Amino acid sequence: MTMQPGRLFVISAPSGAGKTTLVRRVIEARGDLKFSISFTTREPRVGERDGADYFFVSQQAFDRMRDDGAFLEHAQVFGKCYGTGRQQVHDLCAAGHDVLLEIDWQGARQVMTNDPDCLSIFILPPSMQELERRLRGRQTDSETVIARRLAEATGDMGHWREFDHVVVNDDLDRATADLLAILAGQSTTTGTDDPGTAARVTRLLAGSA
Ligand code: 5GP
């Protein structure tokens, strides 16, 4: 029997959309799905572990990997470098696993261009007000960092149409179910070309949701 290579799923979201919790839930629900651990030059946050949350590397090491073509995609986010290991993803897919990339829209765009068969999903917060509340709720960040993240998040959200599906994270259980349905190829209501979905997202971005 020949092994079917796994599929690539790309998930992006602005900071504060609640993507990390959603992704954790989806990984728990689908044991066969593998999360790709990215490389980054940013400092680990409290509680983060090297090799589990990220591979934390120096700028020099990151630059060397980039020059060697070791990244499937890479981008700068909040002034730090992030990249997806090409070999890691290749090995997981070759072993028949579906692989989930949790990356920013710039990296997602690179993956979508190079692998048109990948399935891409954009996660949105329930409202602009809730986005701000969530960004403020992170006690670890300073006011300057919050203001910058809010501005960046607003800009990032403008890219939602480039993705195949969009999920509004207003209720964690429902958003998890939506995401699982998308991954299973069974969602008919989350497509970015769905008029109802598009209207809802437009309202949200205008601050009227
Ligand atoms: P954080 O530093 O808060 O963990 O992540 C900041 C942003 O970087 C998030 O939008 C996250 O999705 C993105 N990110 C994490 N890993 C990668 C990666 O490998 N490539 C790209 N392009 N973005 C990433």
Side-chain angles (χ1 to χ4, degrees):
M1 197 178 84
T2 21
M3 173 105 61
Q4 274 285 100
R7 198 154 179 215
L8 260 192
F9 298 120
V10 180
I11 295 193
S12 291
S15 185
K19 169 188 56 180
T20 310
T21 313
L22 257 181
V23 166
R24 197 176 304 133
R25 281 212 177 183
V26 166
I27 298 274
E28 276 166 15
R30 271 200 48 179
D32 57 317
L33 187 64
K34 299 289 177 195
F35 179 74
S36 160
I37 301 167
S38 296
F39 292 80
T40 184
T41 60
R42 83 151 162 75
E43 293 295 314
R45 296 196 184 110
V46 176
E48 282 184 333
R49 283 183 302 126
D50 186 41
D53 299 284
Y54 282 102
F55 294 108
F56 295 99
V57 295
S58 66
Q59 187 67 55
Q60 205 181 16
F62 191 95
D63 291 347
R64 198 176 321 119
M65 286 184 75
R66 187 199 51 222
D67 294 346
D68 289 346
F71 293 127
L72 191 65
E73 62 72 37
H74 61 89
Q76 267 207 25
V77 187
F78 310 127
K80 299 292 176 184
C81 297
Y82 294 82
T84 301
R86 187 187 295 280
Q87 190 68 44
Q88 196 189 130
V89 171
H90 175 270
D91 291 350
L92 287 168
C93 283
H97 296 291
D98 288 340
V99 178
L100 197 147
L101 309 183
E102 193 216 289
I103 60 180
D104 89 313
W105 68 267
Q106 306 170 84
R109 190 184 264 180
Q110 294 167 44
V111 176
M112 289 187 258
T113 305
N114 295 329
D115 180 3
D117 288 339
C118 75
L119 189 73
S120 58
I121 305 139
F122 200 75
I123 314 276
L124 285 169
S127 66
M128 300 304 283
Q129 293 83 345
E130 178 62 14
L131 175 75
E132 182 164 357
R133 199 189 63 77
R134 288 181 185 175
L135 290 180
R136 288 196 178 282
R138 283 191 190 165
Q139 305 295 337
T140 47
D141 294 331
S142 71
E143 193 62 29
T144 325
V145 170
I146 291 168
R148 185 163 165 203
R149 285 200 169 227
L150 196 55
E152 297 240 14
T154 309
D156 290 354
M157 287 194 284
H159 294 277
W160 69 275
R161 276 185 201 278
E162 297 173 28
F163 291 73
D164 298 317
H165 294 269
V166 61
V167 170
V168 179
N169 190 11
D170 46 6
D171 174 88
L172 193 54
D173 287 336
R174 201 195 44 73
T176 307
D178 276 355
L179 206 46
L180 287 169
I182 294 169
L183 300 191
Q186 289 166 353
S187 176
T188 52
T189 55
T190 54
T192 46
D193 52 3
D194 176 74
T197 304
R200 185 173 178 211
V201 172
T202 308
R203 276 199 304 277
L204 191 157
L205 296 183
S208 51

